[in-house]
């Protein structure tokens, strides 16, 4: 990292979780409320993060700053730019009931785009490769998530199933637990939860881990109980807007990560995947309308072609 202010908060989102525990707490505190951090004294920030002033100073120097004063200026500069950008593009996170849908479209599009970009920036390709290799070789893959996370899990199960991966998505917690208990070393269990605190998902991943399966968590909180339970963790980024809580906004980021894993699996099983996709396309081909539907001639007198 460098001491430049550009992209500071983005770098904290990516690198903060990998820092030593005390430094990671400082990063989390800043990211939770950058504007407050920009105006906080070193004592205030230390108290909020449950650390010490010495830790905050060390955190600043780790980022390449001479001291906390320089870090605080960088945070203030970046939050000021972000605020200006939100103002200019109507990305304030507020959508009023009377707002025209054209304005709403701009807010939602910008929020989703930013979330996907930030998630992509923090995505570790080596971990994607590791998970894809495990899925390609597994005798059994279990996916579990509830609510909007369940939507992402179902989509992933559908995609993998279509390329002959033995995969199941369990919508019922008891069914998920009983099937997690049947997993063996070499199998894979993937749990999705935006908060990382959904009890059923944590229990399912823990059960799978007890039986030797590789466990993978997809969550927005890298220090959550779900993340601590899993062998491998993918972190999503969300941009919350009015009427769309963070858990709903996380769906796009979850799908990005799952799509990368899916494509990596397909690359590793290219011949099998190509054959499976060709067979499945052919199977439903008769149920598709032709691309060009012949037009009917109307209004012509009887007897005319």
């Amino acid at each position: 990292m460098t001491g430049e202010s550009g992209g500071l908060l983005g770098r904290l989102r990516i690198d903060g979780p990998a820092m030593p525990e005390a430094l990671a707490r400082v990063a989390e505190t800043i990211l939770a409320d950058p504007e407050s951090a920009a105006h906080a004294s070193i004592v205030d920030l230390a108290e909020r993060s449950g650390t010490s002033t010495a830790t905050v100073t060390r955190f600043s120097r780790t980022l390449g700053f001479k001291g906390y004063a320089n870090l605080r200026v960088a945070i203030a500069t970046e939050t000021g730019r972000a605020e200006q950008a939100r103002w200019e593009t109507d990305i304030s996170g507020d959508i009023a009931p009377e707002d025209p849908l054209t304005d709403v479209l701009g807010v939602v599009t910008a929020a989703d785009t930013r979330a996907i970009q930030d998630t992509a920036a923090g995505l570790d390709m080596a971990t994607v490769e590791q998970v894809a290799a495990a899925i390609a070789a597994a005798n059994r893959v279990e996916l579990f998530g509830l609510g909007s996370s369940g939507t992402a899990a179902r989509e992933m199960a559908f995609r993998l199933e279509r390329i002959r991966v033995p995969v199941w998505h369990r919508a019922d917690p008891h069914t998920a637990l009983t099937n997690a208990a049947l997993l063996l070393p070499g199998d894979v269990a993937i749990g999705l939860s935006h908060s990382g605190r959904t009890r059923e998902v944590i229990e399912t991943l823990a059960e799978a881990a007890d039986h030797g399966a590789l466990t993978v968590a997809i969550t927005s909180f890298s220090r959550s109980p779900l993340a601590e339970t899993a062998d491998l963790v993918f972190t999503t980024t969300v941009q919350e807007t009015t009427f769309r809580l963070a858990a709903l906004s996380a769906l796009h980021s979850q799908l990005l990560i799952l799509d990368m894993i899916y494509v990596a699996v397909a690359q590793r099983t290219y011949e099998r995947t190509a054959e499976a996709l060709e067979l499945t396309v052919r199977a439903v081909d008769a149920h598709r309308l032709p691309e060009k539907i012949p037009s009917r001639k109307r209004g012509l007198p009887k007897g005319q072609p």
Side-chain angles (χ1 to χ4, degrees):
M1 288 189 183
T2 67
E4 299 175 1
S5 60
L8 172 62
L9 298 180
R11 296 201 302 274
L12 287 182
R13 291 189 190 97
I14 297 167
D15 296 336
M19 290 180 173
E21 184 178 354
L23 300 186
R25 288 206 301 272
V26 177
E28 286 179 0
T29 303
I30 293 172
L31 290 173
D33 192 348
E35 292 181 21
S36 293
H39 298 92
S41 69
I42 189 170
V43 174
D44 289 337
L45 185 58
E47 289 179 350
R48 291 179 192 175
S49 59
T51 60
S52 64
T53 55
T55 298
V56 175
T57 299
R58 184 157 55 96
F59 175 83
S60 304
R61 290 174 179 169
T62 299
L63 295 175
F65 296 98
K66 291 181 180 179
Y68 176 63
N70 301 94
L71 172 64
R72 190 168 64 172
V73 169
I75 297 170
T77 301
E78 184 156 338
T79 53
R81 285 202 309 269
E83 188 62 35
Q84 180 64 26
R86 285 196 295 269
W87 177 264
E88 291 173 353
T89 58
D90 285 331
I91 306 306
S92 65
D94 292 327
I95 300 173
E98 66 275 8
D99 284 350
L101 288 180
T102 51
D103 291 353
V104 174
L105 177 62
V107 173
V108 173
T109 300
D112 288 344
T113 300
R114 176 67 184 275
I116 290 172
Q117 289 173 339
D118 287 352
T119 299
L123 192 55
D124 183 0
M125 291 300 111
T127 306
V128 171
E129 288 280 5
Q130 186 177 349
V131 173
I135 290 175
N139 289 319
R140 195 180 182 100
V141 178
E142 293 280 345
L143 284 148
F144 186 58
L146 296 173
S148 58
S149 293
T151 301
R154 280 192 300 274
E155 175 64 21
M156 182 60 163
F158 169 74
R159 295 184 188 189
L160 291 176
E161 190 176 49
R162 194 171 176 184
I163 60 173
R164 288 184 168 150
V165 171
V167 59
W168 291 267
H169 164 251
R170 312 292 181 177
D172 175 70
H174 288 183
T175 304
L177 274 172
T178 54
N179 281 279
L182 298 176
L183 294 176
L184 299 169
D187 293 334
V188 180
I190 302 176
L192 295 89
S193 168
H194 158 66
S195 67
R197 296 182 178 279
T198 306
R199 183 185 301 275
E200 294 87 346
V201 181
I202 297 168
E203 289 176 348
T204 299
L205 232 57
E207 184 68 32
D210 286 345
H211 297 278
L214 175 71
T215 55
V216 181
I218 300 179
T219 176
S220 297
F221 297 89
S222 59
R223 292 166 59 86
S224 63
L226 179 64
E228 292 173 357
T229 301
D231 297 314
L232 300 172
V233 181
F234 292 104
T235 305
T236 53
T237 303
V238 300
Q239 293 291 320
E240 201 171 21
T241 60
T242 306
F243 307 126
R244 295 200 318 158
L245 299 178
L248 295 174
S249 302
L251 178 60
H252 296 286
S253 299
Q254 290 172 341
L255 288 173
L256 170 67
I257 293 171
L258 292 173
D259 203 26
M260 284 301 302
I261 295 172
Y262 164 75
V263 172
V265 172
Q267 287 178 316
R268 287 178 169 273
T269 59
Y270 177 77
E271 291 185 5
R272 185 183 79 188
T273 293
E275 181 192 18
L277 290 176
E278 182 181 349
L279 289 171
T280 54
V281 167
R282 193 184 307 158
V284 298
D285 192 54
H287 293 268
R288 292 192 177 97
L289 292 174
E291 290 185 13
K292 214 168 185 182
I293 302 175
S295 58
R296 296 180 180 179
K297 295 180 180 180
R298 296 180 180 177
L300 293 176
K302 219 171 182 181
Q304 288 191 22

